[in-house]
PDB file of all heavy atoms in Angstrom:
ATOM      1  N   PRO G 101     161.457  28.145 -45.329  1.00 92.00           N
ATOM      2  CA  PRO G 101     161.057  28.855 -44.107  1.00 92.00           C
ATOM      3  C   PRO G 101     159.641  29.429 -44.210  1.00 92.00           C
ATOM      4  O   PRO G 101     159.335  30.161 -45.159  1.00 92.00           O
ATOM      5  CB  PRO G 101     162.096  29.972 -43.985  1.00 92.00           C
ATOM      6  CG  PRO G 101     162.806  30.027 -45.277  1.00 92.00           C
ATOM      7  CD  PRO G 101     162.568  28.789 -46.037  1.00 92.00           C
ATOM      8  N   PRO G 102     158.767  29.099 -43.243  1.00 94.00           N
ATOM      9  CA  PRO G 102     157.398  29.643 -43.269  1.00 94.00           C
ATOM     10  C   PRO G 102     157.393  31.167 -43.262  1.00 94.00           C
ATOM     11  O   PRO G 102     156.450  31.787 -43.742  1.00 94.00           O
ATOM     12  CB  PRO G 102     156.775  29.110 -41.975  1.00 94.00           C
ATOM     13  CG  PRO G 102     157.592  27.930 -41.591  1.00 94.00           C
ATOM     14  CD  PRO G 102     158.969  28.183 -42.109  1.00 94.00           C
ATOM     15  N   GLU G 103     158.463  31.778 -42.751  1.00 93.00           N
ATOM     16  CA  GLU G 103     158.523  33.234 -42.649  1.00 93.00           C
ATOM     17  C   GLU G 103     158.494  33.905 -44.026  1.00 93.00           C
ATOM     18  O   GLU G 103     158.287  35.114 -44.131  1.00 93.00           O
ATOM     19  CB  GLU G 103     159.785  33.671 -41.876  1.00 93.00           C
ATOM     20  CG  GLU G 103     159.753  33.333 -40.382  1.00 93.00           C
ATOM     21  CD  GLU G 103     159.825  31.828 -40.079  1.00 93.00           C
ATOM     22  OE1 GLU G 103     160.411  31.101 -40.898  1.00 93.00           O
ATOM     23  OE2 GLU G 103     159.278  31.390 -39.045  1.00 93.00           O
ATOM     24  N   VAL G 104     158.709  33.112 -45.101  1.00 94.00           N
ATOM     25  CA  VAL G 104     158.666  33.687 -46.452  1.00 94.00           C
ATOM     26  C   VAL G 104     157.209  33.858 -46.915  1.00 94.00           C
ATOM     27  O   VAL G 104     156.921  34.642 -47.813  1.00 94.00           O
ATOM     28  CB  VAL G 104     159.456  32.774 -47.428  1.00 94.00           C
ATOM     29  CG1 VAL G 104     159.384  33.272 -48.856  1.00 94.00           C
ATOM     30  CG2 VAL G 104     160.915  32.675 -46.998  1.00 94.00           C
ATOM     31  N   ILE G 105     156.284  33.134 -46.264  1.00 95.00           N
ATOM     32  CA  ILE G 105     154.881  33.148 -46.717  1.00 95.00           C
ATOM     33  C   ILE G 105     154.289  34.566 -46.769  1.00 95.00           C
ATOM     34  O   ILE G 105     153.672  34.926 -47.773  1.00 95.00           O
ATOM     35  CB  ILE G 105     154.015  32.189 -45.862  1.00 95.00           C
ATOM     36  CG1 ILE G 105     154.470  30.745 -46.098  1.00 95.00           C
ATOM     37  CG2 ILE G 105     152.534  32.341 -46.201  1.00 95.00           C
ATOM     38  CD1 ILE G 105     153.758  29.712 -45.246  1.00 95.00           C
ATOM     39  N   PRO G 106     154.491  35.412 -45.722  1.00 95.00           N
ATOM     40  CA  PRO G 106     153.919  36.769 -45.817  1.00 95.00           C
ATOM     41  C   PRO G 106     154.432  37.544 -47.034  1.00 95.00           C
ATOM     42  O   PRO G 106     153.681  38.307 -47.646  1.00 95.00           O
ATOM     43  CB  PRO G 106     154.368  37.433 -44.507  1.00 95.00           C
ATOM     44  CG  PRO G 106     154.591  36.300 -43.567  1.00 95.00           C
ATOM     45  CD  PRO G 106     155.089  35.167 -44.391  1.00 95.00           C
ATOM     46  N   GLU G 107     155.693  37.303 -47.412  1.00 94.00           N
ATOM     47  CA  GLU G 107     156.221  37.975 -48.608  1.00 94.00           C
ATOM     48  C   GLU G 107     155.496  37.473 -49.858  1.00 94.00           C
ATOM     49  O   GLU G 107     155.220  38.231 -50.783  1.00 94.00           O
ATOM     50  CB  GLU G 107     157.721  37.705 -48.761  1.00 94.00           C
ATOM     51  CG  GLU G 107     158.581  38.328 -47.682  1.00 94.00           C
ATOM     52  CD  GLU G 107     160.050  37.940 -47.870  1.00 94.00           C
ATOM     53  OE1 GLU G 107     160.581  38.132 -48.977  1.00 94.00           O
ATOM     54  OE2 GLU G 107     160.653  37.430 -46.895  1.00 94.00           O
ATOM     55  N   MET G 108     155.211  36.150 -49.872  1.00 95.00           N
ATOM     56  CA  MET G 108     154.471  35.590 -51.006  1.00 95.00           C
ATOM     57  C   MET G 108     153.076  36.205 -51.070  1.00 95.00           C
ATOM     58  O   MET G 108     152.585  36.562 -52.143  1.00 95.00           O
ATOM     59  CB  MET G 108     154.341  34.078 -50.864  1.00 95.00           C
ATOM     60  CG  MET G 108     155.643  33.325 -51.050  1.00 95.00           C
ATOM     61  SD  MET G 108     155.348  31.546 -50.958  1.00 95.00           S
ATOM     62  CE  MET G 108     156.848  30.954 -51.747  1.00 95.00           C
ATOM     63  N   VAL G 109     152.467  36.322 -49.905  1.00 96.00           N
ATOM     64  CA  VAL G 109     151.118  36.887 -49.847  1.00 96.00           C
ATOM     65  C   VAL G 109     151.136  38.331 -50.351  1.00 96.00           C
ATOM     66  O   VAL G 109     150.242  38.755 -51.094  1.00 96.00           O
ATOM     67  CB  VAL G 109     150.570  36.795 -48.406  1.00 96.00           C
ATOM     68  CG1 VAL G 109     149.299  37.616 -48.261  1.00 96.00           C
ATOM     69  CG2 VAL G 109     150.318  35.334 -48.029  1.00 96.00           C
ATOM     70  N   ALA G 110     152.192  39.080 -49.990  1.00 95.00           N
ATOM     71  CA  ALA G 110     152.283  40.467 -50.443  1.00 95.00           C
ATOM     72  C   ALA G 110     152.334  40.524 -51.964  1.00 95.00           C
ATOM     73  O   ALA G 110     151.650  41.339 -52.599  1.00 95.00           O
ATOM     74  CB  ALA G 110     153.516  41.131 -49.834  1.00 95.00           C
ATOM     75  N   LYS G 111     153.111  39.626 -52.568  1.00 94.00           N
ATOM     76  CA  LYS G 111     153.199  39.568 -54.041  1.00 94.00           C
ATOM     77  C   LYS G 111     151.847  39.211 -54.643  1.00 94.00           C
ATOM     78  O   LYS G 111     151.444  39.727 -55.681  1.00 94.00           O
ATOM     79  CB  LYS G 111     154.220  38.498 -54.465  1.00 94.00           C
ATOM     80  CG  LYS G 111     155.649  38.917 -54.309  1.00 94.00           C
ATOM     81  CD  LYS G 111     156.203  39.354 -55.654  1.00 94.00           C
ATOM     82  CE  LYS G 111     157.643  39.786 -55.529  1.00 94.00           C
ATOM     83  NZ  LYS G 111     157.980  40.862 -56.450  1.00 94.00           N
TER      84      LYS G 111
END
Side-chain angles (χ1 to χ4, degrees):
E103 290 68 28
V104 177
I105 294 176
E107 293 177 53
M108 290 183 162
V109 169
K111 283 260 180 213

